[in-house]
Amino acid sequence: MHVTHDAAAGIAAEIGFDAFLAVDIRVGTIIEALPFPQARKPAYRLAIDFGPVIGIKRSSAQITEHYTLEDLAGRQVAAVVNFPPRQIGPMMSEVLTLGFPDADGKVVLVTPSKDVPNGGRLF
């Protein structure tokens, strides 16, 4: 099954609830945001605290259009924590930080509307 990032492409193929449960989406707090000039597309290097069970994980995120480095520390975000690590330039990205495209296709982060404990799982 091929899943596209193009919002205009329509709805992805129907899946069972077990497939949804296989994707482990957790909330964490960004504790460090750094420039990532080695990335092919403009991005930041993030360190995200997912609480005592999962710990701190690293992510490369293409979120430079809507966020400055100063905006990010302390912000809670949602991320997939059970994909295999992926090499992005010189860094290993351990989680996929989630976002939605704005009208121009630039990433807007998925964040809870109220503070929640780090490590909480999306359901």
Side-chain angles (χ1 to χ4, degrees), residues 6-63:
D6 182 2
I11 297 175
E14 188 175 279
I15 62 171
F17 191 67
D18 287 344
F20 168 74
L21 291 177
V23 180
D24 194 351
I25 300 171
R26 303 285 179 133
V27 66
T29 300
I30 298 171
I31 59 171
E32 181 179 61
L34 299 170
F36 192 18
Q38 302 92 338
R40 269 190 239 129
K41 296 181 180 178
Y44 295 140
R45 292 182 301 164
L46 306 177
I48 306 169
D49 182 358
F50 291 97
V53 174
I54 297 170
I56 296 169
K57 299 291 182 180
R58 307 257 174 222
S59 181
S60 169
Q62 295 174 7
I63 55 174

Side-chain angles (χ1 to χ4, degrees), residues 6-122:
D6 182 2
I11 297 175
E14 188 175 279
I15 62 171
F17 191 67
D18 287 344
F20 168 74
L21 291 177
V23 180
D24 194 351
I25 300 171
R26 303 285 179 133
V27 66
T29 300
I30 298 171
I31 59 171
E32 181 179 61
L34 299 170
F36 192 18
Q38 302 92 338
R40 269 190 239 129
K41 296 181 180 178
Y44 295 140
R45 292 182 301 164
L46 306 177
I48 306 169
D49 182 358
F50 291 97
V53 174
I54 297 170
I56 296 169
K57 299 291 182 180
R58 307 257 174 222
S59 181
S60 169
Q62 295 174 7
I63 55 174
T64 59
E65 293 290 328
H66 290 296
Y67 306 94
T68 66
L69 294 170
E70 296 76 27
D71 289 336
L72 295 169
R75 180 184 295 267
Q76 286 196 300
V77 294
V80 176
V81 299
N82 67 330
F83 284 157
R86 185 171 171 214
Q87 190 74 41
I88 309 288
M91 83 168 277
M92 188 64 71
S93 187
E94 301 172 294
V95 299
L96 175 64
T97 305
L98 299 175
F100 290 107
D102 68 7
D104 297 320
K106 307 302 182 196
V107 178
V108 176
L109 291 169
V110 174
T111 62
S113 59
K114 296 182 187 272
D115 284 346
V116 294
N118 287 336
R121 186 169 182 174
L122 180 76

